[in-house]
Amino acid sequence: MIDPSEPLQSNAFADFNGIEVQATGENTAQAVLEIGPNSLNPYGLLHGGAYYTLADCACGAACRNDGRKYVTLHGGLDFLHSAKSGTVIATAVVHHRGRSTCMVTVEITDQAGALLATGNYTFFCVTQS
């Protein structure tokens, strides 16, 4: 397991999108995004792709905290509320870890704790046994 106090391997896509990822414990991780002008859709709301990327980064980190490497097989989000500014946080929890797949749920909240989106992701372990 990866030590939550250690920084995770840098992810260029997350960095480019202003997402900070950290392991928070065994089978859990968080990703944080400070909303800026480059993360908004034409209506001035956080872009759906930003929500998806944030969730995917958190879920992938939750999988990887066992020390293996994973790639996303499937991901889906249900959008509940929109955010315009501030900070959004994706909290991911692994619910199943098998030899080759890992299933994770995620909740995205704003800085006040209001639920913005929920989702489920499935990852494939690419580490050779």
Side-chain angles (χ1 to χ4, degrees):
M1 184 173 115
I2 293 176
D3 181 351
S5 66
E6 295 292 320
L8 294 176
Q9 178 181 359
S10 181
N11 175 331
F13 192 70
D15 292 343
F16 178 80
N17 287 284
I19 296 170
E20 182 182 322
V21 182
Q22 63 184 35
T24 56
E26 187 174 354
N27 295 319
T28 64
Q30 283 191 330
V32 178
L33 170 66
E34 181 69 34
I35 298 173
N38 291 332
S39 54
L40 300 177
N41 67 20
Y43 307 108
L45 303 170
L46 184 61
H47 193 285
Y51 282 102
Y52 189 92
T53 299
L54 181 69
D56 186 56
C57 290
C59 290
C63 289
R64 288 189 312 276
N65 74 16
D66 71 352
R68 299 189 297 167
K69 296 178 182 177
Y70 293 85
V71 294
T72 308
L73 281 175
H74 177 267
L77 283 179
D78 292 309
F79 298 97
L80 305 171
H81 295 283
S82 298
K84 294 181 179 183
S85 62
T87 302
V88 288
I89 303 115
T91 303
V93 178
V94 172
H95 291 279
H96 167 77
R97 186 184 298 281
R99 284 182 294 119
S100 60
T101 61
C102 193
M103 298 176 77
V104 188
T105 60
V106 63
E107 289 189 344
I108 300 175
T109 60
D110 64 15
Q111 66 269 14
L115 187 61
L116 304 175
T118 65
N120 295 289
Y121 283 72
T122 304
F123 287 79
F124 179 74
C125 181
V126 297
T127 303
Q128 298 289 326
S129 300

